[in-house]
Amino acid sequence: MRRTTPKPSDDVRDRQVRAAQSVARTAAQEVRIIGGQWKRTPLPVPVAAGLRPTSSRVRETLFNWLGQDLSGWRVLDAFAGSGALGLEAASRGASAVLLERDAALVAALRTVVQRLKAAQVQVMQADALSWMARAGGANPSATATAQPFFDLVFLDPPFDEALFQPALTAAVRCVAPGGWIYVEAPQAMGDDATLGLRCHRQGHAGAVHFHLFQRVDATEASPASVP
């Protein structure tokens, strides 16, 4: 079970920084949407610290897990960056909110959304943790009917920042019961019974470990850790 830790040790922090640097060195400067109505559409990847778009290989695996048709889904891409994840979901029928705190990346995302005429995609300049905390605060219970409830939340924070546990904690209150949270991290993650998250599927590509969690009742989440 993944538990909250007070602060990463220097050794853990060093490993996170090295993983971020390794991924950044091989990051593409352009990616393409691989499925849906915008299939093969190129997405520019601006040069920005910590920006590492999710590869086509990983996105293909993820959407094989989720299914190819996301019509009617509400999706939150919390650390949008290039927008590869959120726009991939929107290409497959989902409505999407893309959060990004970097002004230059926000401008690039809005240009892409305008070019695609993607009326179902909203781009917001915001700190992901603060935004999710406010949004989740509006829905304190699983039975609440007020928005926002998302069917799927993408979490792909910078590897060199200790954001994974805070992001999961914030995201779980924004996702509908039975919904999904996708996380990329520099290490494997397991079920979190405290948050009521079960690791449904996981994989890795190079320095990136990717996970698909489902929100379940806390009693259903296994305490077992991922090896």
Side-chain angles (χ1 to χ4, degrees), residues 89-212:
S91 181
R92 299 161 189 265
S95 61
V97 175
L98 277 56
L99 304 180
E100 176 53 55
R101 66 184 179 185
D102 185 286
L105 294 177
V106 169
L109 285 169
R110 286 175 174 161
T111 297
V112 170
V113 168
Q114 184 177 23
R115 172 165 55 89
L116 294 173
K117 297 181 172 60
Q120 73 275 40
V121 179
Q122 181 181 12
V123 178
M124 302 179 65
Q125 184 173 0
D127 175 81
L129 293 185
S130 298
W131 192 94
M132 288 190 292
R134 290 194 301 271
N139 296 279
S141 73
T143 59
T145 57
Q147 297 297 323
F149 259 168
F150 293 97
D151 301 290
L152 171 63
V153 176
F154 295 121
L155 298 179
D156 185 12
F159 275 17
D160 58 350
E161 299 182 29
L163 297 178
F164 299 100
Q165 192 66 30
L168 270 175
T169 300
V172 75
R173 297 190 65 180
C174 295
V175 71
W180 306 93
I181 299 177
Y182 169 79
V183 184
E184 291 187 15
Q187 69 282 321
M189 302 168 63
D191 296 347
D192 192 322
T194 302
L195 293 178
L197 292 175
R198 177 191 294 150
C199 189
H200 176 68
R201 301 290 295 270
Q202 65 170 300
H204 69 90
V208 177
H209 292 261
F210 51 99
H211 316 76
L212 184 62

Side-chain angles (χ1 to χ4, degrees), residues 142 177-178 192-198 214-222:
D192 192 322
T194 302
L195 293 178
L197 292 175
R198 177 191 294 150
Q214 186 171 31
R215 180 182 167 188
V216 297
D217 290 338
T219 54
E220 296 181 49
S222 166

Side-chain angles (χ1 to χ4, degrees), residues 8 12-20 159-162 164 186-187:
V12 170
R13 176 76 172 180
D14 287 345
R15 289 201 303 272
Q16 290 175 338
V17 170
R18 288 196 298 273
F159 275 17
D160 58 350
E161 299 182 29
F164 299 100
Q187 69 282 321

